Amino acid sequence: MSRRVRSWDIFCRVVDNFGDIGVCWRLARQLAAERGDAVRLWVDHVAALTRIWPEVAPEQDEQRCAGVEIRRWSEPLPVLTPHDVVIEAFACKTPDAFVEAMAVRKPAPVWLNLEYLSAEAWVDGCHLLPSPHPRLPLTKHFFFPGFTPRTGGLLREADLLTRRDAFRRDGAARRALWDALGLRTPAAGELRVSLFAYPNAAAIRLFSVWAAGDRPVICVVPEGVLRSEIAGFFGSCPAPGGIAARGRLRLAVIPFVRQADYDPMLWACDINFVRGEDSFVRAQWAGRPLVWQIYPQEGDAHLPKLRAFVDSYCADLDGPTAAAVRDFIHAWNGSGDAAAAWNAAQAALPGWTAAADAWCARLAAQPDLASALAEAVESEALAGVDAHRVPARDENQL
Ligand code: TRH
């Protein structure tokens, strides 16, 4: 028997930057907008959400925005009845008092840990695995985003690709975007680049190659990103709205935009440099070449994850194009010389662009993450308590 789920609690701890809240906020908005469900988002650092959604008031403990109830996650939590589904994002650990309240709710909520995105093969086998609570009659399940049909898929709003295609057909909308950024519409043949990255010494080498190259480049960089690299190359970093130029390169520092306005920027560019998790996914939906800078982890733990994505992303490319794309992305992540790898990458752009479009179409043929999530929580397998999985009481394990 399945049941209709109507309400969600999402817990988000902001580790750093904008990815944790970026993913949770996008999911919360989609569940509220597309299903009409009640969504309560608990976030410990509300100001991080304000950065990507300026209507959110950072000082308020409780507010509604974009159809979502936003609560500051601070201890002790107010005593509230948990919703039908409780999601802890990225193993942020649901507060103990809330877990106790979940255990007495009838029916018990479906409880999920929404994991980080990875293209590694093991993800297929771990998606939806149960993890019984050691003491309470609750089972948490792992929900893995991913690239294959055996994972939970990627966040994608129902109308995203239609909006993207309409934007691409609409010259006035594209001109309005460049206008709003205070930039002239790029000329035909000018390479349009969006550049969102972590500090990266390779950027300075790349700026040199672009400045000295034979193709004009307009590179837009969100404020606060690569400041010292930009200053290192140009002598100083422009304020938001400012432009620096050398040789064939024009670099514009643009204001950080609200999350929903980031997509058109990606759609308007020929190649998008992205990072972390959420911008990385958005660049895939842009259907244009993307260069991912993975979030670096201690002991290079991120490298297998990077390799897994690059291998899969390049699998259907012809040999020379695959080599060019692979080398450039790895060089951008510190293994190799990005400046040297750029020439081959630039030459590969036509094939890479066609492949990026096909990659996007293939992913779009799979259910999006919010739909996969809804299907999973409404299926019998995950609905509420699974009495057979409740282990013997063991107080020491909690
Ligand atoms: O900001 P990120 O680097 O985030 C993260 C965190 O560091 C996190 O701890 C880590 O675990 C994770 O990466 C892997 O990158 P990400 O994920 O791309 O998030 C950026 C968010 O900011 C995304 O939702 C898009 C949004 N954004 C805007 O709203 N406006 C903008 O102008 C830009 C450039 C981005």
Side-chain angles (χ1 to χ4, degrees):
M1 223 182 62
S2 67
R3 65 167 172 163
R4 171 74 165 93
V5 153
R6 302 206 173 272
S7 61
W8 307 69
D9 277 298
I10 303 175
F11 284 89
C12 174
R13 227 179 247 300
V14 176
V15 178
D16 59 7
N17 304 330
F18 309 106
D20 311 285
I21 189 61
V23 168
C24 293
W25 179 238
R26 191 180 294 289
L27 173 63
R29 286 194 291 122
Q30 190 183 351
L31 292 171
E34 294 182 10
R35 291 173 55 88
D37 288 354
V39 183
R40 186 163 54 194
L41 173 64
W42 300 86
V43 52
D44 61 341
H45 187 38
V46 182
L49 178 51
T50 306
R51 284 282 282 143
I52 61 169
W53 207 266
E55 292 90 329
V56 172
E59 71 289 351
Q60 280 186 27
D61 291 341
E62 202 183 319
Q63 60 193 299
R64 282 195 74 79
C65 194
V68 176
E69 179 185 348
I70 302 163
R71 294 262 185 166
R72 186 184 310 283
W73 177 3
S74 56
E75 306 287 344
L77 281 195
V79 182
L80 293 170
T81 305
H83 281 323
D84 296 341
V85 184
V86 176
I87 296 176
E88 58 177 44
F90 314 122
C92 68
K93 192 173 180 313
T94 313
D96 290 343
F98 203 82
V99 176
E100 297 285 346
M102 287 162 61
V104 295
R105 186 191 192 270
K106 298 269 178 282
V110 181
W111 189 16
L112 296 166
N113 174 15
L114 174 63
E115 279 289 349
Y116 285 108
L117 172 62
S118 174
E120 289 163 291
W122 58 263
V123 168
D124 281 7
C126 292
H127 179 51
L128 297 182
L129 278 188
S131 165
H133 191 279
R135 182 172 58 86
L136 298 168
L138 293 168
T139 297
K140 179 160 64 186
H141 288 82
F142 294 94
F143 190 94
F144 279 89
F147 300 89
T148 74
R150 295 190 55 204
T151 68
L154 302 174
L155 278 170
R156 183 184 79 243
E157 298 78 9
D159 62 352
L160 178 67
L161 300 187
T162 315
R163 287 190 291 113
R164 181 200 68 181
D165 293 344
F167 177 86
R168 292 236 166 99
R169 286 191 300 270
D170 185 347
R174 292 198 311 276
R175 281 191 298 279
L177 179 123
W178 294 108
D179 264 8
L181 295 174
L183 295 168
R184 66 163 169 74
T185 299
E190 198 167 351
L191 185 69
R192 299 160 298 183
V193 180
S194 83
L195 179 46
F196 183 41
Y198 302 116
N200 190 339
I204 300 185
R205 302 263 300 124
L206 201 53
F207 295 155
S208 308
V209 175
W210 286 343
D214 50 13
R215 185 170 180 184
V217 175
I218 171 69
C219 173
V220 292
V221 185
E223 63 179 297
V225 169
L226 295 173
R227 263 217 298 262
S228 60
E229 291 82 348
I230 295 169
F233 183 71
F234 290 102
S236 65
C237 180
I243 299 180
R246 188 192 292 181
R248 293 288 195 156
L249 171 63
R250 283 192 307 142
L251 183 146
V253 175
I254 59 171
F256 204 81
V257 294
R258 69 205 320 269
Q259 192 185 48
D261 294 337
Y262 180 55
D263 291 308
M265 187 75 260
L266 302 172
W267 303 339
C269 286
D270 301 303
I271 180 166
N272 295 303
F273 288 68
V274 285
R275 71 184 202 189
E277 178 154 338
D278 191 55
S279 58
F280 170 50
V281 171
R282 303 316 279 184
Q284 302 185 53
W285 298 133
R288 291 275 163 81
L290 72 89
V291 182
W292 183 32
Q293 187 178 8
I294 192 169
Y295 184 76
Q297 287 175 281
E298 233 169 82
D300 285 342
H302 57 287
L303 290 182
K305 193 165 148 178
L306 176 67
R307 266 195 301 275
F309 171 74
V310 173
D311 287 351
S312 158
Y313 185 60
C314 293
D316 292 337
L317 297 177
D318 65 67
T321 307
V325 173
R326 184 178 284 122
D327 288 353
F328 186 67
I329 297 179
H330 283 303
W332 185 243
N333 284 277
S335 313
D337 179 350
W342 173 252
N343 289 333
Q346 178 169 245
L349 275 175
W352 188 0
T353 303
D357 208 30
W359 171 262
C360 172
R362 183 174 75 65
L363 292 175
Q366 295 174 30
D368 67 280
L369 187 142
S371 304
L373 197 53
E375 199 198 313
V377 299
E378 288 178 342
S379 74
E380 190 183 5
L382 305 195
V385 186
D386 180 348
H388 301 292
R389 294 199 181 113
V390 178
R393 191 181 169 93
D394 180 353
E395 302 289 347
N396 296 328
Q397 276 184 278
L398 191 61

